[in-house]
Amino acid sequence: MATLKYSRQREAIKEFLNSRDDHPTADTVYENIQQIYPNISLGTVYRNLSLLVSIGEIIKITTAQGPDRFDARTTPHNHFICRDCHSVIDIEMEENGDLEELAAKRFAGIIEGHTTNFYGLCGNCTKKVQK
Amino acid sequence: MATLKYSRQREAIKEFLNSRDDHPTADTVYENIQQIYPNISLGTVYRNLSLLVSIGEIIKITTAQGPDRFDARTTPHNHFICRDCHSVIDIEMEENGDLEELAAKRFAGIIEGHTTNFYGLCGNCTKKVQK
DNA sequence: TTCGTTGCAAATGTTTTGCACCTGA
DNA sequence: TCAGGTGCAAAACATTTGCAACGAA
């Protein structure tokens, strides 16, 4: 396996993601890192994001619409995706019982993880609709 | 709101999806419908798939890797996605308690639905690894 | 020196869209 | 007749990749 070598670009990407809790897209990461390293390329951003995902330092959030998003919080939590403004919001909650254990009873393979996404209208968009 | 008009292509797509439980991609749908209507275009397949999703007749399954998949089973159930062969398999299970209710306690907006995906190795790929 | 990393640009894979024609009601 | 549907091709979008140069160990 290839040994990781230090890269200032990668550090900047990690730091940026750590500073945000709104799950930026690759493009948002790119625009922000450009302010520090004007020559960084979008390819480098994508390469580092998928590298960080593969070593478990960040999480990739794939939604039904629009580009993937990235999250530096790797502890278990869920996401809510607004059907109106498409923002992705953390939901901190206990899951009653062990979903994976329940699923395993009905499934022939090996279950290693799971993701739950909630959908609906976020707080802001709820207000907009009421107007 | 636009009134739906009958279309033989759309019917064929619905029928095809009803006949399968392996969650075909748009491209797979296209290839199969071509055997009945050789002139159908991929654009028509995409248009009809998203129309059917929007009226709730089918479900779109977005995965972390590869194209979206489509499912004619609209009753609540979960999916397992194999990290090796990327197949998508139904999991029929009860969810202990009401996840959406739990989430709502911690969330300011309106929760209208949720999706849980499980990840790991499917039955077939588990065997392959053991060899 | 070695090999992972980068910037750039081209390519890829998936999905959407504009347009003129076709078709169901 | 007329609004919705279709086929075709081009465009849009998100992401990946080849390559030569760069930089960390």
Side-chain angles (χ1 to χ4, degrees), chain B residues 47-118:
Chain B
R47 269 187 293 237
N48 277 304
L49 287 172
S50 69
L51 189 158
L52 291 169
V53 167
S54 74
I55 62 177
E57 294 212 13
I58 64 174
I59 285 171
K60 179 167 84 164
I61 306 167
T62 300
T63 66
Q65 166 159 148
D68 290 342
R69 292 160 166 277
F70 298 89
D71 190 345
R73 281 185 63 202
T74 54
T75 51
H77 64 285
N78 295 310
H79 293 117
F80 171 91
I81 298 152
C82 181
R83 70 163 150 83
D84 201 32
C85 70
H86 303 117
S87 64
V88 175
I89 300 164
D90 288 326
I91 297 188
E92 206 65 50
M93 60 182 276
E94 73 284 11
E95 283 179 1
N96 250 346
D98 188 334
L99 281 180
E100 291 178 31
E101 206 175 290
L102 280 173
K105 285 186 199 162
R106 308 296 193 85
F107 184 67
I110 300 171
I111 293 178
E112 299 170 339
H114 77 282
T115 306
T116 299
N117 288 331
F118 295 92

Side-chain angles (χ1 to χ4, degrees), chain A residues 28-117:
Chain A
T28 303
V29 173
Y30 174 58
E31 284 168 14
N32 280 271
I33 304 296
Q34 266 189 319
Q35 296 176 14
I36 317 173
Y37 301 109
N39 292 324
I40 197 173
S41 76
L42 193 50
T44 295
V45 170
Y46 272 104
R47 269 186 294 237
N48 277 304
L49 287 172
S50 68
L51 188 158
L52 291 169
V53 168
S54 73
I55 62 178
E57 294 210 15
I58 64 174
I59 285 171
K60 180 168 82 162
I61 306 166
T62 301
T63 66
Q65 165 157 150
D68 289 344
R69 291 159 168 276
F70 298 89
D71 190 346
R73 284 184 62 201
T74 54
T75 50
H77 64 284
N78 295 311
H79 293 116
F80 171 91
I81 298 151
C82 181
R83 70 164 149 82
D84 200 32
C85 69
H86 303 117
S87 64
V88 176
I89 300 164
D90 288 326
I91 297 188
E92 208 64 51
M93 59 180 277
E94 74 284 9
E95 283 178 0
N96 248 347
D98 188 334
L99 280 181
E100 291 178 29
E101 204 175 291
L102 279 174
K105 284 184 198 163
R106 307 297 192 84
F107 185 66
I110 299 171
I111 292 177
E112 297 170 339
H114 76 283
T115 304
T116 299
N117 288 332

Side-chain angles (χ1 to χ4, degrees), chain B residues 5-6 8 26 42-43 46-47 67-68:
Chain B
K5 202 178 281 188
Y6 172 88
R8 61 188 77 202
L42 193 49
Y46 272 103
R47 269 187 293 237
D68 290 342

